[in-house]
């Protein structure tokens, strides 16, 4: 009897751990329309580009709006990242994530977010700022 209750408790607990696919809007607690600045950091080169033009911010949001974040089964710690994106409203940082990790949870994306961000980053003006030494 104890084993059945324990098994039931584990099943209930695991079912509460949502592995449902999510969209960016489900992670961001604010309103994406209120983002006034975005910073994209290239983890490979150590450079970052800042976007404050509202047209470019809208284009970035449009590229990401239909991307589905699917939680990975393997949640072991990893090092490094390809791209990190930080949102600001005014001068206040409101959200930061990498293309495969949000709030300490690892995801794969569908479609793959890397080529979408990589293409966008490379098309931005060459005003890069080095952040790694």
């Amino acid at each position: 009897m104890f084993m059945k209750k324990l098994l039931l408790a584990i099943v209930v607990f695991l079912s509460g751990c949502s592995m449902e696919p999510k969209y960016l809007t489900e992670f961001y607690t604010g309103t994406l329309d209120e983002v006034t600045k975005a910073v994209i950091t290239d983890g490979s080169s150590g450079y970052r580009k800042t976007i404050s033009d509202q047209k470019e911010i809208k284009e970035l949001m449009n590229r990401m709006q239909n991307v589905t974040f699917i939680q990975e089964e393997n949640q072991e710690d990893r090092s490094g990242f390809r791209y990190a994106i930080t949102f600001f409203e005014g001068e206040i940082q409101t959200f930061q994530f990498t293309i495969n990790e949000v709030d300490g949870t690892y995801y794969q994306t569908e479609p793959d977010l890397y080529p979408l961000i990589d293409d966008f980053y490379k098309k931005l003006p060459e005003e890069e700022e080095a952040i790694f030494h």
Side-chain angles (χ1 to χ4, degrees), residues 58-115:
K58 291 276 188 227
E59 182 183 342
L60 175 62
M61 299 302 182
N62 287 338
R63 286 176 181 247
M64 295 187 298
Q65 74 180 0
N66 294 319
V67 172
T68 306
F69 288 77
I70 304 157
Q71 186 173 334
E72 291 186 5
E73 216 171 285
N74 179 358
Q75 290 294 315
E76 292 179 23
D77 284 339
R78 300 161 200 182
S79 61
F81 61 92
R82 291 171 123 180
Y83 286 105
I85 302 168
T86 307
F87 295 148
F88 292 82
E89 291 181 19
E91 292 303 312
I92 299 170
Q93 179 179 320
T94 56
F95 188 60
Q96 183 175 27
F97 66 102
T98 69
I99 60 173
N100 70 330
E101 182 266 326
V102 181
D103 294 331
T105 302
Y106 294 101
Y107 295 89
Q108 61 184 13
T109 55
E110 184 60 45
D112 187 1
L113 193 52
Y114 175 75

Side-chain angles (χ1 to χ4, degrees), residues 20-36:
E20 289 291 315
K22 294 183 177 183
Y23 294 97
L24 184 61
T25 54
E26 295 176 79
F27 295 110
Y28 191 69
T29 58
T31 305
L32 289 172
D33 290 339
E34 295 179 11
V35 172
T36 58

